[in-house]
Amino acid sequence: MKRCIQCSVAYTATDWACPGCSFAPPIIDGWPAFASESAISTSGFRPEAFAELAALEVGNFWFQARNQLIVWALKRHFPELRSFLEIGCGTGFVLEGIAQAFPQAKMAGSEILSAGLPFAAQRMASAELFQMDARRIPYDSEFDVIGAFDVLEHIEEDESVLAEIHRALVAGGAAIFTVPQHRWLWSSIDEHACHVRRYRTGELREKLDRSGFHVELETSFVSLLLPMMLASRLSRKDAPEQDANAEMRLPRILNQLLLGVMAVERGLIKSGIRFPIGGSRLVVARKIS
């Protein structure tokens, strides 16, 4: 069910014209824009970063390993997934991976910056794509699962986003997140990436509890590689602003080696091991109220 971001009327329709106030989102670069004031620029992300990500994601161990972990978690908890919305879909790399794993599911993706949507459309022509501020989701009780992967750390009002996700989920629906973790890993790379936080252990769980969710799965990842990551961050701690993707550009052999380490880690997580610390955190939470 759609929800008007102007008057909050919930309605069912094939288009976006609100029957209550007649509001319809403007079309920017070919997509509906529900937060047109932020479609061109925002403090949370850099528009030029989409081209950088599109060139990096396919061959990089971290993006590949994160996708594999996300798909595993979705298959474990939602084997009958029918509808999925990704908040902050970026270039569509994660959305494409989920669509391949769940070809029967209806896919939707949103971005705060309209500059990302052409990249996502190239990968996911069949998905419904639109520009949106995650603090105002134009749906009520619509999706089985909503995902946000390395997105919440860009938003000051992350609990407002969780409340909106809760409202946009069907009864018994769920949300899945990945976030960067541990404040002691903060470096100039986080600043260049426009992060407002790295989550402390348990922080996202606490916020989900307050937002009407029950956490079903929670684990750190990038745990076996944490010593390497910590060394990299410490070496940059007092350095001037740096390229957020600098540590992702690796020689091919090293990249393959790290992908293998992440595969071992994923196997341990699948066997039931939950890592207490790691560069990132994966959380799956069910809507309960």
Side-chain angles (χ1 to χ4, degrees):
M1 184 175 294
K2 295 176 179 177
R3 180 183 178 90
C4 180
I5 62 169
Q6 293 286 85
C7 70
S8 298
V9 163
Y11 61 98
T12 302
T14 56
D15 60 25
W16 285 104
C18 173
C21 68
S22 300
F23 168 80
I27 303 300
I28 296 179
D29 297 329
W31 289 277
F34 292 95
S36 56
E37 69 282 0
S38 301
I40 306 301
S41 66
T42 177
S43 61
F45 202 72
R46 298 176 297 109
E48 64 271 19
F50 292 113
E52 299 170 10
L53 281 173
L56 184 63
E57 287 168 322
V58 175
N60 179 264
F61 83 94
W62 187 84
F63 292 103
Q64 289 179 305
R66 185 185 62 167
N67 258 23
Q68 291 163 350
L69 186 62
I70 290 166
V71 167
W72 165 77
L74 287 170
K75 285 185 174 181
R76 181 177 188 263
H77 289 268
F78 318 107
E80 304 301 323
L81 179 66
R82 294 168 299 177
S83 58
F84 180 84
L85 167 66
E86 183 184 358
I87 294 173
C89 66
T91 68
F93 183 69
V94 181
L95 197 61
E96 181 184 32
I98 295 171
Q100 290 172 352
F102 298 92
Q104 78 288 352
K106 173 187 174 183
M107 293 287 156
S110 73
E111 251 305 327
I112 184 68
L113 290 170
S114 59
L117 294 175
F119 294 97
Q122 287 179 2
R123 284 180 166 145
M124 285 296 300
S126 61
E128 180 182 12
L129 300 173
F130 47 91
Q131 186 270 344
M132 180 192 82
D133 184 331
R135 297 168 297 184
R136 292 185 297 165
I137 299 177
Y139 285 101
D140 270 352
S141 304
E142 177 72 15
F143 298 98
D144 291 344
V145 181
I146 295 176
F149 308 113
D150 292 271
V151 170
L152 291 179
E153 68 273 13
H154 294 273
I155 304 171
E156 288 279 2
E157 307 90 342
D158 57 346
E159 290 197 67
S160 295
V161 176
L162 298 181
E164 287 290 287
I165 290 173
H166 186 279
R167 182 175 50 75
L169 287 167
V170 300
I176 178 170
F177 307 94
T178 59
V179 294
Q181 188 175 231
H182 304 316
R183 294 172 182 175
W184 41 266
L185 281 173
W186 185 272
S187 76
S188 58
I189 290 178
D190 293 284
E191 294 169 5
H192 187 70
C194 303
H195 292 172
V196 297
R197 71 179 68 78
R198 294 186 71 90
Y199 284 80
R200 61 173 173 78
T201 302
E203 181 178 357
L204 185 52
R205 172 188 283 270
E206 294 165 7
K207 291 178 176 181
L208 285 163
D209 287 344
R210 290 196 293 268
S211 301
F213 289 92
H214 170 70
V215 172
E216 294 188 346
L217 170 66
E218 184 176 18
T219 184
S220 299
F221 64 105
V222 198
S223 298
L224 300 182
L225 294 176
L226 185 59
M228 179 184 293
M229 182 179 181
L230 179 59
S232 174
R233 292 303 171 96
L234 287 175
S235 71
R236 292 174 165 87
K237 197 171 185 64
D238 298 319
E241 182 179 283
Q242 297 185 35
D243 180 355
N245 294 320
E247 61 185 3
M248 297 291 186
R249 299 189 185 96
L250 302 168
R252 184 175 179 275
I253 293 176
L254 179 57
N255 187 73
Q256 288 301 113
L257 176 62
L258 298 182
L259 184 61
V261 174
M262 292 293 286
V264 171
E265 180 177 280
R266 185 172 65 258
L268 293 171
I269 292 172
K270 290 168 69 174
S271 74
I273 292 173
R274 301 292 175 256
F275 292 97
I277 62 173
S280 296
R281 199 159 194 86
L282 169 72
V283 181
V284 175
R286 184 84 58 176
K287 176 178 177 177
I288 57 171
S289 63

